[in-house]
Amino acid sequence: MITPNRRSSTRSSVSGGIALHNDAHDGNDKIVTVVRVRPMSDSELLHHCKVVMIPDYGEPGMCIIDPVYFGTDKRESDRKAYERHFHYDHFFWSANKADNGVEVATQEEVFNACAKPLVGHCITGFNCAIFAYGQTGSGKTHTMMGYDSHSEGAGVIPRLVRSLLQQVNEMRLLQQNGVGSYDSKIDVSYYEIYNEKVHDLLSNSTEVGCRVREHPDTGAYVEGLTRVEINNYEDVDAVLQRGQKHRAVAATLMNSSSSRSHAVFNVYLVQTLPNLPDSASFGGSVSVTSDDSSVNSRGSRNGKSSSRSNGSSSVQRQSKVCLVDLAGSERASASGVSGERLTEANSINKSLSALGDVIQALSAKSSKSLHIPYRNSVLTWLMKDSIGGNSKSVMLATVSPTDTAYFESMSTLRYVERAKLISNHAVVNETTSDANVISQLQKQVQTLQKQLSEVQPSGSGHGLKRPGSANNLVDSESSEDLKRMMALVTQKQQVYLHSY
């Protein structure tokens, strides 16, 4: 049996965790790729399945060997022809214990590498996302949820929410002790996408499904989705248990508790903090250009929230963490499903195929000229911001190390390899809530009005010229540009006036 000499590997690390992204927005936030190899199941051990993966810690990743190699009398020197190497940002080997006594990668190690840094990004004001992808029975739900939120077996979701709550409570404590002015609120929602319909896992309603709507500014959202405020660890546990009870699961030949839906757990953080010179800038909240672009306002993606600064200058940050436990891809011949289970499998595979099409389009070199098929499934429609949009995202794949899952593992590894090529465009979702913004907008309006008044029609009617400069003809479109810019700034001013 092939064994590793180290249990995990990452590209880069800093004190206190792995640095996935820089906080400074450079417009090029690559999706971080993580692969975890699960232990062999009892069934795989019983049938003496072979381990066909070898960890590679020099460059985080693995080598996977075609099982055909083991079924022939080929020499060791021939093995390279049957090998395929994959490399990712982080790699975790949990398949078996090494001969030198090193234990397998733990839940805590996986969290520290791929999820803990997102807590800091969320507090900074970035949207974040984690997608767990893999074939059915490969360990996605175990990695994301775990088996006990109070033990070492806790998964990414309970650990992330508890870590975020801990940091927010520490900041609240500092505020109570007179260090700065800080206010915050954490809400969560939990829903599943089952047969292309959205079901609210935290709702007591007996409705068949929730409607997915399209907002012109914030994009797709689930109408009427239940949001629960989180104040302590007990609230976290209650919400997770409540949602898990309602999630669709069923037994198949490949997994005794197979998830039959995609589960999405959202965490919303709204913070109000002092508007210090280094905490926010007017230039980062509003931008106006002379082309056809619009004025951009940050902090409106997750709705409005009242500022509690008692009239003092403050900044409001609104961030969201989207944690997605995707249903596992499966072949009907291998899982042995039929009837209702077969309908579920077809729906799962269809939405995962749509997600693959989106990843393929975004990863293509000429993606700027391609249509991205987000609307081909409810999953990709709702996840538009997390894949190729305003988010710092992680693709976490789980695979089986055995020869019987070779083709499914190869498909998963190729899937995640394409995701490495996608660049998101994460920005700090921040809104300055004091009167200075309105004042500066008013000044921009006045400046544009002055520039427009200086542009006078020429006698010929074919151009425009500025006073005192008879030979300096200005293109007739200039005045239209100024008017358009002034209209944009005026519109943004009205938004601020109605928001506060």
Side-chain angles (χ1 to χ4, degrees), residues 389-409:
N390 175 26
S391 176
K392 290 181 177 289
S393 300
V394 176
M395 181 68 74
L396 194 166
T398 56
V399 293
S400 165
T402 64
D403 54 347
T404 55
Y406 171 78
F407 293 105
E408 288 82 0
S409 296

Side-chain angles (χ1 to χ4, degrees), residues 11 30-36 60-62 84 86-91 131-135 140 326 355-356 359-360 363 393-399 408-422:
R11 289 189 185 276
K30 292 284 188 181
I31 289 183
V32 174
T33 53
V34 184
V35 170
R36 186 184 194 184
M62 68 172 71
R84 175 66 193 273
F86 294 90
H87 301 290
Y88 306 99
D89 295 292
H90 306 280
F91 173 75
F131 291 85
Y133 178 84
Q135 77 170 97
K140 300 180 302 300
L326 297 169
L355 180 60
I359 291 175
Q360 179 64 36
S363 62
S393 300
V394 176
M395 181 68 74
L396 194 166
T398 56
V399 293
E408 288 82 0
S409 296
M410 280 292 292
S411 176
T412 298
L413 296 173
R414 290 194 183 107
Y415 202 98
V416 180
E417 191 173 50
R418 288 195 298 270
K420 291 194 302 183
L421 304 176
I422 299 176

